[in-house]
């Protein structure tokens, strides 16, 4: 009984060349992140602070939200509150409808993805244009992002070249990234200049000032909000930081962790609407307050969506974003999916080897692997535990608590070498898929020790 | 008494989403954590300017130091000889072909080859320059094909902690850090500059001393 993740991953790795490219490319991003992090002697101090600031803010979120909303309103921003995705979408549509908006240009927002905003608005007749290059490519293909920072990381340039031939009438056979990027620049510039409204997400909300901070490399959020007379910000309520001092910690960590850059090309602070224009802010709960009840899992809400945990994850790198059933993949996606619905997304828990690499790169020190381990312990009561593995575990427990039986089976273990393959590598043993059993030694360590065959002298330090 | 209770239930049923969210948070939060003490007195770079230049170049930007008595306009013309439409609202920038603040709408800024603006604070650790909106339409920072930022060399700080202690927004209510040109790596992680914003950014360091 393998999980859906395991089945989808099998499909991904069937293309060995693609798997290797994906694995190596993301590992390069991880290495860039390492170089930039090591360049900052106080890196670990920053991570500790970031974690502390987030835990403080989350555990005082009621006060900070009130302060933030009051400041934003004083700045002339219209603040809306949405309990869930549905209410969020209705609010956004209401604003657009009232102003007769036909075309909405969007910059990347995982929250609107979470709320399924685009299909909702498109059904209502709004022309929704994603403006981040990767997002635009995927919108053309009608596919979701496979990574939260590098949404089109699973695609090859040739595929994008062919797509642009059809959609943007680029030269046939030209798949040069610079050529394609500049073709998209021309195309999207026209969209920016003709949009009736712009929508952005928020990387940070500053409670003290009411600022919305948006970080991009492309400048697409800035282009959108500079022309259309209406700016709507969609913000998950966990995005708050208390003040500028705290913001300084996060702006140092975010881009270094995400892409191995010292900072994003643009770090924009939106405090007031443009002169004669409107700015709306939708603060979204959608399960976040419920997640705060789930004990230590509240730590998952510290996430600043940098994607570092994906880039380092050996399972993500070798299975791709689409192997996960939740729309955010990788270690953080496994956890966020479980917060959303343990019943629905429990399968993703198998996509972790507990190597804990994610714990070590997370800029806000979420103990992602420990969270996954904890979620696994809670699978049985909801009927999501793997029955075969459960059986094996029971057997192991029996074996390990009966020393004589354990010793006998150790003696017999080398016999596995002589067992026919079909008995070892079959559907009952999912650990035997894609793996070879280690060769068992002819004699066990215990037996060697008893016979004095183990030389302890050499290992002693003088 | 009865009437009061009735009123109370009525208030409950029309509880706004805001109240519902805040109430739920108040009910769910069990442990309140203290704010950590943040004392960001890190890394005094020996030479802030050198570090600023090094990092700016590593992110695809360019830094030019204006010599004493050198005319900034000459520097701009020599850096961007092909620029035909040059926007600036800085009086000393005589190389400008128009004042962007005199345009009616941001749309009129489309087609600007070069914009020359003033930056307030430079950050040595990441090559970013803080600008509190100082043109009528912020579109100028992004729509111009190339961007020149004038920065007083004395205004370079070590890191973001220091920067955030200094920066302020003005009545426009918008400000940003710019670090190098607009860029993307969304196609196969190949780095391409000029995604949507400026294809190139030059910081000209001036000295008031």
């Amino acid at each position: 009984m393998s999980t859906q993740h395991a089945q989808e991953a099998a499909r991904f790795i069937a293309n060995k060349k693609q798997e290797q490219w994906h694995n190596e490319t993301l590992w390069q991003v991880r290495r860039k992140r390492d170089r930039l992090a090591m360049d900052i002697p106080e890196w670990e101090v920053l991570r500790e602070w970031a974690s502390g600031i987030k835990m403080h803010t989350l555990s005082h979120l009621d006060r900070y939200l009130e302060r933030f909303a009051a400041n934003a309103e004083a700045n002339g921003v219209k603040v809306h509150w949405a309990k869930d995705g549905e209410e969020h979408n209705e609010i956004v549509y209401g604003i657009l409808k009232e102003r007769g908006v036909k075309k909405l240009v969007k910059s990347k927002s995982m929250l609107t993805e979470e709320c399924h905003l685009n299909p909702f608005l498109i059904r209502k007749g709004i022309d929704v244009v994603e403006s981040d290059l990767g997002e635009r490519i995927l919108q053309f293909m009608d596919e979701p992002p496979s990574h939260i920072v590098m949404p089109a990381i699973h695609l090859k340039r040739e595929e994008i070249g062919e797509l642009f031939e059809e959609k943007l009438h680029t030269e046939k056979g030209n798949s040069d990234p610079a050529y394609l990027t500049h073709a998209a620049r021309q195309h999207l510039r026209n969209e920016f200049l003709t949009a009736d409204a712009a929508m952005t997400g928020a990387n940070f909300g500053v409670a003290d000032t009411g600022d919305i901070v948006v970080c991009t490399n492309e400048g697409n959020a800035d282009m959108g909000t500079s022309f259309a007379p209406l700016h709507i910000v969609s913000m998950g309520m966990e995005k708050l930081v208390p003040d500028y001092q705290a913001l300084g910690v996060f702006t140092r960590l975010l881009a270094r962790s995400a892409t191995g850059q010292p900072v994003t090309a643009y770090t924009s602070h939106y405090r007031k609407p443009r002169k004669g224009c409107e700015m709306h802010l939708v603060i979204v709960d959608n399960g976040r307050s419920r997640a705060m009840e789930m004990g230590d899992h509240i730590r998952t809400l510290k996430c600043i969506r940098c994607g570092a945990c994906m880039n380092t994850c050996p399972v993500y790198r070798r299975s791709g974003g689409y192997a996960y059933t939740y729309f955010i993949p990788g270690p953080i996606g496994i956890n966020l999916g479980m917060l959303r619905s343990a019943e629905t997304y429990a399968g993703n828990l198998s996509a972790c080897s507990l190597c804990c690499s994610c714990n070590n790169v997370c800029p806000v020190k979420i103990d992602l692997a420990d969270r996954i381990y904890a979620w696994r312990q809670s699978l049985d009561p909801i009927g999501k535990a793997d029955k075969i593995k459960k059986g094996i575990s029971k057997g192991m427990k029996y074996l390990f608590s009966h020393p004589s039986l354990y010793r006998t089976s150790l003696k017999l273990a080398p016999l596995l070498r002589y067992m026919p393959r079909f008995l070892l590598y079959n559907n009952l043993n999912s650990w035997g898929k894609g793996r070879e059993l280690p060769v068992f030694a002819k004699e066990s360590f215990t037996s060697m020790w008893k016979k004095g065959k183990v030389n302890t002298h050499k290992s002693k330090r003088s | 008494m009865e009437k009061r209770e009735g009123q109370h239930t009525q208030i409950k049923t029309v509880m706004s989403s805001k109240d519902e969210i805040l109430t739920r948070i108040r009910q769910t939060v069990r442990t309140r954590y203290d704010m950590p003490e943040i004392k960001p007195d890190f890394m005094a770079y020996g030479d802030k300017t050198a570090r600023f230049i090094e990092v700016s170049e590593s992110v695809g930007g360019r830094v030019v130091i204006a010599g004493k008595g050198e005319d900034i306009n000459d520097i701009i013309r020599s850096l961007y000889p092909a620029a035909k439409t040059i926007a600036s609202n800085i009086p000393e920038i005589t190389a400008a072909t128009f004042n962007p603040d005199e345009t009616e709408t941001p749309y009129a800024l489309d087609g600007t080859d070069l914009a020359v603006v003033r930056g307030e604070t430079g950050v040595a650790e990441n090559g970013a320059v803080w600008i509190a909106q100082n043109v009528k339409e912020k579109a100028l920072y992004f729509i111009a094909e190339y961007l020149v930022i004038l920065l007083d060399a004395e205004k370079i700080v070590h890191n973001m902690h220091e920067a955030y202690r200094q920066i302020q927004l003005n009545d426009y209510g918008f400000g940003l850090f710019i670090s190098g040109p607009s860029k993307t790596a969304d196609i196969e992680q190949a780095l391409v500059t000029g995604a949507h914003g400026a294809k190139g950014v030059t910081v000209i360091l001036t000295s008031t001393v």
Side-chain angles (χ1 to χ4, degrees), chain A residues 21 25 29 39-40 42 46 49 52-53 55-56 59-60 62-63 65-66 81-83 87 131-134 150-151 153 155-157 160 177-178 180-182 185 188-189 192-193 211 217-218 220 222-223 225-227 237 244-245 247-249 251-252 256 262-272 274-275 285 289 292-293, chain B residues 17-18 20-22 24-26 28-40 42-43 45 51 55 58-59 106-107 110-111 125-126 128 130 137-139 141-145 159-161 164 167 169-184 186-190 192-199:
Chain A
W21 184 87
T25 305
V29 182
D39 197 35
I40 306 287
E42 64 273 21
L46 294 179
W49 283 348
I53 295 167
M55 284 313 284
H56 165 74
S59 64
H60 296 82
D62 48 342
R63 298 178 205 171
L65 277 171
E66 280 186 299
W81 300 75
K83 288 192 296 288
E87 191 176 10
S131 63
D132 172 84
L133 176 59
M150 298 167 267
I153 190 69
L155 296 174
K156 301 302 294 172
R157 66 179 69 187
I160 299 166
L180 296 176
T181 299
H182 291 137
R185 176 187 170 99
L188 284 163
R189 181 154 290 199
F192 288 128
L193 295 173
D211 290 17
N217 276 320
E218 298 186 3
N220 56 319
D222 294 293
M223 280 295 281
T225 57
S226 290
F227 296 95
M237 65 182 197
Y244 269 13
Q245 178 174 253
L247 186 58
V249 174
T251 49
R252 297 189 76 190
R256 286 186 173 97
V263 70
T264 45
Y266 303 97
T267 305
S268 299
H269 296 53
Y270 296 91
R271 186 175 293 178
K272 294 180 179 180
R274 277 168 38 228
K275 295 250 149 56
D285 182 340
S289 59
M292 293 171 81
E293 290 175 308
Chain B
S17 292
K18 175 184 178 175
E20 226 174 284
I21 291 167
L22 293 175
R24 196 197 271 260
I25 295 170
R26 283 183 200 115
T28 55
V29 169
R30 292 183 196 138
T31 320
R32 300 241 189 201
Y33 295 85
D34 288 338
M35 179 77 172
E37 197 189 349
I38 294 172
K39 277 202 220 154
F42 306 118
M43 53 175 187
Y45 289 115
R51 167 78 189 194
V55 180
S58 78
V59 298
Y107 302 98
D110 191 18
E125 71 157 316
N126 57 21
W130 169 258
E137 292 292 347
K138 71 182 175 76
Y141 306 125
F142 316 108
I143 201 163
E145 295 288 299
N159 53 39
M160 293 300 269
H161 307 296
Y164 274 114
I167 62 163
L169 291 181
N170 54 39
D171 196 44
Y172 280 116
F174 176 83
L176 83 168
F177 288 99
I178 297 182
S179 169
S182 153
K183 55 182 78 73
T184 185
D186 273 348
I187 301 174
E188 275 194 15
Q189 277 296 290
V192 180
T193 54
H196 295 298
K199 291 174 176 167

Side-chain angles (χ1 to χ4, degrees), chain A residues 152-166:
Chain A
I153 190 69
H154 60 292
L155 296 174
K156 301 302 294 172
R157 66 179 69 187
E158 291 78 14
E159 295 171 76
I160 299 166
E162 278 171 34
L163 178 75
F164 279 17
E165 272 173 42
E166 182 203 328

